[in-house]
Amino acid sequence: MADDDPNLRSEAGKWFSSDVAGAEGPWGWRLDVVTLLAVIGESSVAEHAQTITASIFCLFPRIIPAPQAFLKPSRPPRLPETTAKMTGVYSGVVLDTVGFFANIIHPLDQYQPFDFEVLRITHADRNNAGGIKVPPAFQNGANFLSKFSLRGRKRMRSSHEFSGPSRASPLGSSGDTKVDTPTTNSGFNSRADIEAGAPNQGITRRMTMKEKIQDFAANPTLVNDERRPAIPATLYSPVHVLSVFSVMLTFSLIGFAARYQDGTAILAVSLVSFASSVVGWASWWKPILMKRSHTNTVPEGDVIIRTREGAFLLIKCTEEVARELYSGTEECEYHVSGQVYRALMGLGTCLLMVSVILLGNCKWNSQIFIGASYITLNGLYWAMGLLPKKYFWDLSRYNIETLDSARPADANSDTAAVDPREGVKSFTRTLWYAIRETKRTAWVNRSGAAPNTPQWDLWLAEAEREAIKGNREWKAVARKDVIMRMRDSEATSTNLAHGARESTSALDDDAKQAAPAIEVQPREQRPINGTL
């Protein structure tokens, strides 16, 4: 019979047998541990799992260390967030977390205790603000029918553009009457903001080839809707470079295995590569940022962030930027449904198990190169974790500017030798810096940055008055020490004499003067719902 043909068996044995001559190493050595190398390094890969699956590069067939890092029972509905107290200066929004992309723009873990910084974030292109396209202005003598070219769309103005109270000083003509309007922030001029109105008519910049390829990689579609992905993965991201390198390495392994007639290695590498494409397809996603759906008048979007270490970060921005990066939710939109995801996860699991069995039966030469490939990739993924996340995402949608003029020179320094009271880094001093720039204290009460006691109410009222006056040299710490020695009745009467509200605190608690009144809670160490 044909099945008993010894020539046929010997020919098949050259490709799929691991006990023929040349299949083992010197002195009978084997590298069965290569199956372990294929699944080692899960923590390094899991750190970049969401970045890897954020573009079409995740569909490339390639070997990946620890592919089981992608085999999750469920997908995260939102991007991971960082724990910090975020408060809208004018909007009243109070949150306990800061968004994923916002933390990439200004990593909160890099701020020293009691540090202070002011940033201004605007849209680089007004056409991208709020997810709409600004229509061109009509020229004189234009055809009457051209007025209907907008197809019912209305131009959406930014929050700086709406008619209403200007960002003037909240003092009346007499200098002592306060009105509840946004204040003028130092170093910030809304008229110079690109979002203050429609862009000037002129030459429209075309998208570069890099931007087109980058957008297609993030969201490939045949429909031209003139909308770019909000924040795609940058084209030259280290993850993309490593993905291309892995593809080249995978095909090199298959060619090497074919050279040595190792059919088992060819099947093993092919199956584990196909498994990476399957799980990549199941987890393929794109970020969806929140945008405004109405054009009604809204407060300014400035936000202030307080870290657990007592650092304050003031962000001057419009409501459109605040919705996208801070107060809104950054959701994950997946390309496949939940049921398809589970089916693909099951298929990927089966392919991975079969490929692991086959890897343990490869010939000696193939095991050497496969093991060396996994060791190399594990080292590269570990090294990629040392890079800042800003290299992985295209943040050119925003212009980020550090307002050095608003940041005190001693914000992160200790000058106790010059001034033993005001020169020492403290929570009170940094809180005064933030009030001095915002010229408001309502956000302090909403965020719990100061206790709700008569003494602190008096200090906040005085701090706001000094900030409005422009007294940047006010002795905030010294004045606080004086006020804290007052009795509740004395502080309340002084506060009411200046027209401030009466404190609602009536508890005689030794800890009621401790600042901050509400601490920022640490995030849980264990991932929730697969969030990395």
Side-chain angles (χ1 to χ4, degrees):
M1 296 178 63
D3 294 341
D4 297 331
D5 188 352
N7 295 329
L8 181 60
R9 291 199 306 270
S10 61
E11 186 64 26
K14 293 180 181 179
W15 287 87
F16 297 100
S17 178
S18 60
D19 57 0
V20 297
E24 295 183 350
W27 303 289
W29 274 62
R30 293 189 58 82
L31 291 177
D32 294 335
V33 73
V34 71
T35 58
L36 183 60
L37 293 176
V39 296
I40 286 180
E42 182 174 357
S43 59
S44 300
V45 177
E47 182 181 358
H48 305 286
Q50 283 191 302
T51 309
I52 293 173
T53 56
S55 70
I56 198 174
F57 285 77
C58 68
L59 304 182
F60 290 176
R62 67 203 186 281
I63 59 173
I64 301 179
Q68 73 276 7
F70 298 90
L71 301 177
K72 302 292 184 179
S74 60
R75 300 173 296 186
R78 295 180 57 184
L79 291 172
E81 298 176 328
T82 303
T83 300
K85 183 66 70 172
M86 194 280 295
T87 309
V89 177
Y90 308 113
S91 63
V93 176
V94 179
L95 298 175
D96 292 327
T97 56
V98 176
F100 176 77
F101 292 115
N103 193 53
I104 294 178
I105 295 176
H106 45 75
L108 297 180
D109 56 353
Q110 295 183 4
Y111 289 93
Q112 299 296 321
F114 309 122
D115 199 358
F116 179 71
E117 189 175 49
V118 182
L119 298 178
R120 180 170 62 192
I121 302 178
T122 58
H123 282 113
D125 185 359
R126 178 66 182 93
N127 290 321
N128 288 333
I132 52 89
K133 182 176 179 63
V134 178
F138 298 115
Q139 303 295 333
N140 293 332
N143 192 303
F144 175 78
L145 296 178
S146 63
K147 298 180 180 180
F148 299 95
S149 61
L150 296 182
R151 299 178 182 176
R153 292 177 297 174
K154 296 183 178 179
R155 180 163 92 65
M156 180 179 177
R157 300 179 295 176
S158 77
S159 55
H160 285 297
E161 198 181 359
F162 293 117
S163 59
S166 61
R167 299 184 70 167
S169 173
L171 290 177
S173 57
S174 61
D176 56 358
T177 302
K178 180 180 175 182
V179 293
D180 191 17
T181 58
T183 61
T184 301
N185 297 300
S186 63
F188 182 68
N189 183 7
S190 63
R191 288 177 293 181
D193 187 0
I194 193 173
E195 297 182 271
N200 296 329
Q201 299 302 312
I203 299 175
T204 302
R205 186 183 70 86
R206 294 182 178 180
M207 292 179 59
T208 63
M209 183 58 65
K210 173 181 176 293
E211 291 175 337
K212 292 180 180 179
I213 298 175
Q214 181 174 273
D215 293 349
F216 179 81
N219 184 29
T221 176
L222 298 178
V223 179
N224 182 17
D225 55 4
E226 297 184 344
R227 290 183 301 175
R228 296 184 58 198
I231 302 182
T234 182
L235 181 60
Y236 300 118
S237 167
V239 169
H240 291 171
V241 175
L242 189 53
S243 297
V244 175
F245 173 75
S246 300
V247 172
M248 298 172 60
L249 185 60
T250 300
F251 284 100
S252 299
L253 289 175
I254 294 176
F256 180 84
R259 167 66 178 79
Y260 285 92
Q261 297 182 342
D262 191 352
T264 305
I266 294 176
L267 286 177
V269 174
S270 300
L271 288 178
V272 74
S273 301
F274 183 60
S276 66
S277 298
V278 170
V279 297
W281 183 25
S283 303
W284 189 16
W285 68 284
K286 63 178 180 180
I288 299 297
L289 304 181
M290 180 175 289
K291 63 181 181 181
R292 294 183 58 196
S293 57
H294 298 282
T295 59
N296 54 310
T297 304
V298 294
E300 296 295 338
D302 296 3
V303 299
I304 193 159
I305 301 171
R306 172 169 61 93
T307 67
R308 184 172 175 81
E309 291 77 20
F312 283 81
L313 177 62
L314 174 61
I315 309 296
K316 296 179 180 294
C317 60
T318 60
E319 180 64 17
E320 288 83 3
V321 174
R323 293 280 182 93
E324 293 179 2
L325 296 177
Y326 298 99
S327 58
T329 57
E330 299 166 329
E331 300 178 354
C332 302
E333 181 178 348
Y334 293 94
H335 291 264
V336 299
S337 63
Q339 294 296 332
V340 177
Y341 169 79
R342 295 181 179 87
L344 292 176
M345 285 292 105
L347 177 60
T349 303
C350 295
L351 292 174
L352 180 60
M353 291 188 294
V354 174
S355 62
V356 168
I357 295 174
L358 293 176
L359 285 174
N361 291 276
C362 297
K363 294 181 181 179
W364 166 257
N365 293 329
S366 299
Q367 287 184 338
I368 290 178
F369 282 93
I370 293 175
S373 300
Y374 275 110
I375 292 175
T376 302
L377 290 176
N378 264 304
L380 292 176
Y381 274 100
W382 173 83
M384 195 166 56
L386 303 177
L387 300 176
K389 288 184 173 61
K390 64 181 180 180
Y391 295 123
F392 297 86
W393 300 93
D394 180 19
L395 296 173
S396 60
R397 177 182 178 86
Y398 304 103
N399 284 330
I400 300 101
E401 179 185 359
T402 302
L403 302 181
D404 295 327
S405 59
R407 185 179 189 270
D410 59 347
N412 192 27
S413 60
D414 197 331
T415 58
V418 179
D419 190 340
R421 191 183 297 269
E422 303 294 334
V424 179
K425 293 193 299 183
S426 64
F427 182 85
T428 303
R429 188 181 73 167
T430 308
L431 179 61
W432 157 243
Y433 291 157
I435 296 174
R436 189 173 65 183
E437 295 303 320
T438 61
K439 296 180 173 59
R440 296 173 68 90
T441 58
W443 62 267
V444 178
N445 302 108
R446 289 194 303 268
S447 64
N452 186 20
T453 63
Q455 290 83 357
W456 275 101
D457 288 343
L458 176 58
W459 183 87
L460 289 175
E462 292 187 5
E464 186 173 20
R465 284 196 297 269
E466 297 299 327
I468 293 174
K469 293 177 182 178
N471 183 11
R472 302 181 66 86
E473 303 300 329
W474 184 59
K475 304 297 184 181
V477 179
R479 182 56 182 161
K480 190 225 29 173
D481 293 342
V482 173
I483 293 177
M484 293 303 149
R485 290 194 290 267
M486 296 182 178
R487 296 179 178 274
D488 289 0
S489 57
E490 182 182 359
T492 301
S493 60
T494 305
N495 206 8
L496 292 176
H498 290 86
R501 65 178 178 85
E502 184 176 2
S503 173
T504 58
S505 175
L507 299 177
D508 188 13
D509 184 7
D510 293 337
K512 65 184 179 181
Q513 306 293 355
I518 301 177
E519 287 283 359
V520 179
Q521 299 300 319
R523 64 177 297 181
E524 295 185 6
Q525 299 297 323
R526 295 183 60 185
I528 301 177
N529 295 329
T531 301
L532 304 178

